Amino acid sequence: MAAHRLRQSVGRLFAMGPELGSGRRAFSAFQAFTEVLRLPSKQLTKLVFPLEELHEHFVPGSRPDLHLNIFHPSLEDIARAESFFTASARNRIEYLTSAVRLDHAPDLHRPEVCFIGRSNVGKSSLIKALFSLAPEVEVRVSKKPGHTKKLNFYKVGKYFTLVDMPGYGYRAPEDFVDMVETYLKERKNLMRTFLLVDSVVGIQKADNIAIEMCEEFALPYVMVLTKIDKPSKGHLLKQVLQIQKFVDTKTQGCFPQLFPVSYHLQGDPTSPS
């Protein structure tokens, strides 16, 4: 069904191609996304709307307290978002700097979004995948958990700055709480926090600390489920329903829909840190 909706709107995407931008940036982003649209329907749905498959394993009404909120961006929205991350002379995407404390961070006026999560949740791999259309941007991905030790700032064109936060939990920096808490609490241009949760193990004790900080500081945040293609469908459904219930009943500032991310689409599948 989701794949059918995508194909129905593909004509609108071709019609609005010039509106997505001009020159090489628009062409490369448009070309990359149309490659996805050529996939068979089942594969297309699995790639673009991976949680759709879980409906086949979920009987509506069997558990009134459990449900799924699935995020369905339009085809145009997906293509436009991809154009933001496509590097060109007019859309510079680059690493800016790193900082160990907020007072060392650059004084930037663009909106910021930050990515935070447990060590080994797949954060750096996801960011590397986001920058796949800007190959000159180097995002280091290590097989060892806890590789990121600083706040890493990346310019995404004229649109926003992306901040890669140190992972919490195993091998986290000794001053992690001070570093991250100060940033989350005092960074005035922080617009959205993406909190990554491992879909294999669900929300852990360390995740609750990050969630509590987001809630305490009244931050708008999104829960991103990583590695969704690693567990079985039944196990994934159980974790997703539990996390969805947590978001619905225990949070105030969390976006109601969960954002799923495939383990093998985050970058190098042998480097999940």
Side-chain angles (χ1 to χ4, degrees):
M1 185 179 294
H4 178 65
R5 288 199 302 270
L6 280 178
R7 287 203 166 88
Q8 278 188 323
S9 59
V10 70
R12 297 200 305 273
L13 178 62
F14 276 91
M16 70 176 291
E19 299 175 18
L20 293 175
S22 60
R24 180 182 174 189
R25 177 173 71 90
F27 175 76
S28 59
F30 179 73
Q31 186 181 46
F33 190 67
T34 52
E35 286 297 318
V36 174
L37 293 173
R38 295 190 180 100
L39 294 171
S41 295
K42 187 172 183 180
Q43 191 176 354
L44 177 62
T45 301
K46 184 175 182 178
L47 180 64
V48 182
F49 298 115
L51 292 187
E52 281 281 346
E53 287 189 312
L54 294 184
H55 277 296
E56 300 175 7
H57 303 267
F58 183 56
V59 180
S62 59
R63 288 287 304 273
D65 59 324
L66 298 177
H67 69 282
L68 285 175
N69 281 332
I70 298 179
F71 180 57
H72 283 306
S74 70
L75 187 64
E76 295 86 351
D77 287 338
I78 296 173
R80 185 173 289 110
E82 186 174 65
S83 73
F84 292 168
F85 285 94
T86 304
S88 71
R90 299 179 60 184
N91 190 58
R92 295 192 62 182
I93 300 175
E94 57 187 345
Y95 164 78
L96 293 175
T97 189
S98 297
V100 294
R101 297 199 308 270
L102 181 60
D103 55 3
H104 291 179
D107 185 15
L108 303 172
H109 301 290
R110 294 185 202 88
E112 282 184 4
V113 299
C114 75
F115 284 67
I116 187 172
R118 275 193 314 116
S119 299
N120 202 37
V121 75
K123 177 173 53 63
S124 295
S125 296
L126 173 56
I127 293 173
K128 182 176 181 179
L130 288 173
F131 289 141
S132 62
L133 295 177
E136 68 280 5
V137 178
E138 182 180 359
V139 179
R140 295 188 62 189
V141 178
S142 173
K143 295 181 181 180
K144 295 181 179 180
H147 174 77
T148 305
K149 300 294 185 183
K150 300 178 181 179
L151 308 173
N152 297 318
F153 294 79
Y154 299 88
K155 175 184 177 182
V156 183
K158 62 183 180 181
Y159 303 106
F160 57 89
T161 301
L162 187 152
V163 184
D164 182 9
M165 310 282 280
Y168 50 80
Y170 179 68
R171 295 189 64 192
E174 292 182 3
D175 55 350
F176 171 84
V177 174
D178 291 338
M179 181 194 310
V180 172
E181 183 175 23
T182 303
Y183 173 85
L184 294 176
K185 184 177 181 179
E186 300 182 10
R187 193 66 167 176
K188 301 301 182 184
N189 54 335
L190 176 60
M191 298 291 106
R192 187 63 51 93
T193 297
F194 291 87
L195 198 159
L196 278 61
V197 173
D198 188 333
S199 66
V200 179
V201 298
I203 297 174
Q204 300 291 291
K205 186 176 181 179
D207 296 315
N208 279 315
I209 297 174
I211 293 170
E212 288 170 4
M213 284 195 288
C214 290
E215 292 288 332
E216 180 181 351
F217 305 143
L219 300 176
Y221 65 104
V222 175
M223 209 165 288
V224 179
L225 305 185
T226 65
K227 310 178 186 179
I228 64 163
D229 46 352
K230 290 195 73 176
S232 66
K233 289 291 190 298
H235 182 77
L236 177 61
L237 177 60
K238 178 182 177 181
Q239 292 289 4
V240 168
L241 290 174
Q242 289 177 346
I243 295 170
Q244 183 74 70
K245 183 177 181 180
F246 180 92
V247 169
D248 293 343
T249 61
K250 304 291 185 181
T251 70
Q252 296 292 326
C254 188
F255 194 73
Q257 282 87 16
L258 306 175
F259 281 38
V261 178
S262 165
Y263 180 66
H264 291 96
L265 292 178
Q266 287 174 229
D268 180 359
T270 65
S271 305
S273 61

